[in-house]
Amino acid sequence: MTDTADRADVTAAVEDRLRRVGRKIRSSMLDAMPDGEPVRWLYGPMREYPSRPGKALRPALCMSAGRAFGGAADDLLGVAVAIELLHNAFLVHDDIVDGSEMRRGRPTLASKYGLAAALNAGDALAVVAGQVLRRATRRFDRDLADLVWAEFDTMAMRTLEGQATEAGWLLDNVEQLRPEDYLELIMHKTCWYTTIHPLRVGAMVGSRGTAELAPLVRFGFHFGAAFQIRDDMLNLVGDEKMYGKEILGDLYEGKRTLPLVHLTANARGADRDLVLEYLNMRRDERTPELVRTIRDLMDDYGSIEFTTKFAEGILSVAEDYFQEAFASAQPGHDLDFLRSLVPYVWARWR
Amino acid sequence: MTDTADRADVTAAVEDRLRRVGRKIRSSMLDAMPDGEPVRWLYGPMREYPSRPGKALRPALCMSAGRAFGGAADDLLGVAVAIELLHNAFLVHDDIVDGSEMRRGRPTLASKYGLAAALNAGDALAVVAGQVLRRATRRFDRDLADLVWAEFDTMAMRTLEGQATEAGWLLDNVEQLRPEDYLELIMHKTCWYTTIHPLRVGAMVGSRGTAELAPLVRFGFHFGAAFQIRDDMLNLVGDEKMYGKEILGDLYEGKRTLPLVHLTANARGADRDLVLEYLNMRRDERTPELVRTIRDLMDDYGSIEFTTKFAEGILSVAEDYFQEAFASAQPGHDLDFLRSLVPYVWARWR
């Protein structure tokens, strides 16, 4: 696709921009946070995740798409901040459900403050996200404000549908999943709020409601799916310090990621029995040795290799859709950034 | 205050109106619920609490105050439905935090579907509450819509502050509480969203933003506090079937209700040691015998009697404030209903 030097340039440029957007969005999130009591059990915990450096992909997509479609930064910032705040709210609640201990390299709210404080802090972050978006949409005429809000609500519901589906798979101990089921899941759980919504709402605000949004869904879905699969892979092959979460945490949980779906469908004989038995266990029954065995089976059955190829296929479709999605966008730094995202994710696969 | 026959009339009239409002609000809540998948793990669970008959006090206050201040039912219904939906969202999350098993006479979402589904369903109910309020406020001019939304956000944050404070008291095992601390807590946790907000937002919509809202806060606070104390008392002295929740559930949890605050402050010697030891225990260490002993101590130390007198005092202040709060309201059925609420709660104390 590109040679090694180009790839390093693309990666550095994308990461530099994400860092800059991240700083701006973090300070805006913290500015939006109300002062009040109790600090110890609500307002303090609420500030934690927004203070920790995250990827900032969502706000970067929103701001860049918005400007590429002719918008002003002032019209876009509040919309991007609202997305990131809702993302933080979801992370807080996800970490409760998943029983996760680490988030962005530090303890999760649930493990640091307990269930009640974490649950309230997540709820409160969602309220503040709404406050920020209401302030942001006051600048727009009422029709555009209504459109933006309809997008935001749709995104929230799609995400919850995805989370509920995934939780249901675990609770029902679903065994017969195909890659298509996994894609359908992450379309809801991840893509809608990570890529599709930020791009759509950015384009909507930038173009004052005139941009065509359907092609953005196609690009956003394929790019977002590849991004999520990369995230799942990092949990299997990554480095804990870089990653900021527990390595193999998804496997401890029995999360139906693409490599696990592949392994479950392909393991044979005693291996298959072991995998099915593993899926049936409670989290606390899954010993480090057993988790390591399942992880090794993923190598033996080519599940990691399959997942890598699958993601490459999706990424190349995303690249094909890029042109159509941004046909009416203006050339410039923002469009360049958006165009470099596919090579950026690609660079991590090779 | 009133004689027995009057009291029976007041009670019957209030309950009849609450039942009628409750039916209307329940069907409106269910109409507002989106169709989608997964039914089994999200849309089904979401419909459960809104389907179960609840008190409907909040929407009844909002609708009545709104009409008493000159509003039309069509302008008020969506606002009232949004309040009740957010109330349901909070109940779902509260039941997770409290580990409650019963709600409105049936299993809680957490006990029926597990933590993940309950958490998602609560989040989704809050999103739908927002959708309903956005549809409702589209009828208003933008300034009024902004005012209504600011009220709604304030109410949500006050409630979360109260919940976080209460959870913090439990986690820190706070022993030194005075009745004033309890009042401050329920001002946030209960009154704001049970009485103050419904009355204020109803009056705001009804009067198109011209009604004076501060006196409504004074009335709403005192009435709401008495209402909450009555609810706490029913948990100690009530009948499980009528009440719809576990009797003595608050005591199992160690919830700092007014009778428990009183007992902790007044028990002496070995009784005091036992109460402090009790507060320090985990929920699963509190045996039925022990809970019964603590409950009996509340009788011995006059904690139930104190609480009753305290609530009567608050109710009579609420009655004094009624006149001021509704001075500019129109006479009629709605004002009559609002005026009968104090005698209605009073009737339960004698």
Side-chain angles (χ1 to χ4, degrees), chain A residues 144-288:
Chain A
L144 181 59
D146 284 347
L147 279 176
V148 169
W149 269 104
E151 286 287 311
F152 193 75
D153 288 337
T154 299
M155 174 265 289
M157 290 305 294
R158 288 292 159 279
T159 309
L160 291 165
E161 288 165 2
Q163 285 172 189
T165 300
E166 186 171 44
W169 285 359
L170 283 175
L171 289 161
D172 288 339
N173 189 31
V174 172
E175 291 166 358
Q176 309 293 337
L177 292 172
R178 298 152 306 165
E180 305 89 274
D181 299 315
Y182 174 80
L183 280 184
E184 166 98 24
L185 172 76
I186 61 175
M187 171 78 170
H188 284 79
K189 192 192 78 150
T190 307
C191 300
W192 206 273
Y193 96 111
T194 303
T195 51
I196 298 172
H197 172 74
L199 290 168
R200 275 174 65 104
V201 79
M204 184 182 274
V205 169
S207 70
R208 299 279 149 176
T210 62
E212 213 196 321
L213 303 178
L216 286 165
V217 176
R218 287 191 283 273
F219 170 73
F221 168 60
H222 288 88
F223 171 62
F227 193 83
Q228 174 66 48
I229 295 172
R230 188 189 76 155
D231 213 54
D232 292 346
M233 288 285 281
L234 285 176
N235 194 273
L236 291 170
V237 303
D239 171 281
E240 188 142 337
K241 214 172 145 195
M242 293 268 301
Y243 185 57
K245 294 186 262 195
E246 308 96 296
I247 288 302
L248 301 184
D250 291 346
L251 207 44
Y252 274 100
E253 248 179 81
K255 225 176 211 177
R256 270 56 173 174
T257 59
L258 193 51
L260 189 58
V261 167
H262 180 273
L263 177 62
T264 308
N266 288 277
R268 291 287 166 262
D271 292 339
R272 181 178 161 78
D273 295 343
L274 180 67
V275 171
L276 294 183
E277 195 189 330
Y278 182 85
L279 294 180
N280 254 308
M281 290 176 175
R282 292 196 319 271
R283 186 188 167 119
D284 59 7
E285 295 172 322
R286 293 174 180 144
T287 63

Side-chain angles (χ1 to χ4, degrees), chain A residues 99-120:
Chain A
S100 305
E101 283 167 17
M102 298 291 283
R103 170 65 67 185
R104 296 176 177 160
R106 300 188 48 202
T108 57
L109 285 199
S111 65
K112 191 166 171 188
Y113 299 98
L115 170 66
L119 210 157
N120 287 325

Side-chain angles (χ1 to χ4, degrees), chain B residues 193-243:
Chain B
Y193 96 109
T194 303
T195 50
I196 298 172
H197 172 74
L199 290 169
R200 276 174 66 103
V201 79
M204 184 182 273
V205 169
S207 69
R208 299 278 150 179
T210 62
E212 214 197 319
L213 303 178
L216 286 165
V217 175
R218 287 190 284 273
F219 169 73
F221 168 60
H222 288 88
F223 171 63
F227 192 84
Q228 174 67 48
I229 296 172
R230 188 188 76 154
D231 212 54
D232 292 346
M233 287 285 281
L234 285 176
N235 194 272
L236 292 169
V237 302
D239 171 283
E240 188 141 338
K241 213 170 146 197
M242 294 265 304
Y243 185 58

Side-chain angles (χ1 to χ4, degrees), chain A residues 9-10 15 21 44 62 67 111 143 181 190 195 200 204 246-247 252 306 311 313-314 319:
Chain A
D9 285 351
V10 161
E15 289 184 344
V21 172
C62 174
R67 282 187 301 232
S111 65
D143 287 344
D181 299 315
T190 307
T195 51
R200 275 174 65 104
M204 184 182 274
E246 308 96 296
I247 288 302
Y252 274 100
F306 166 82
I314 292 179
E319 192 159 53

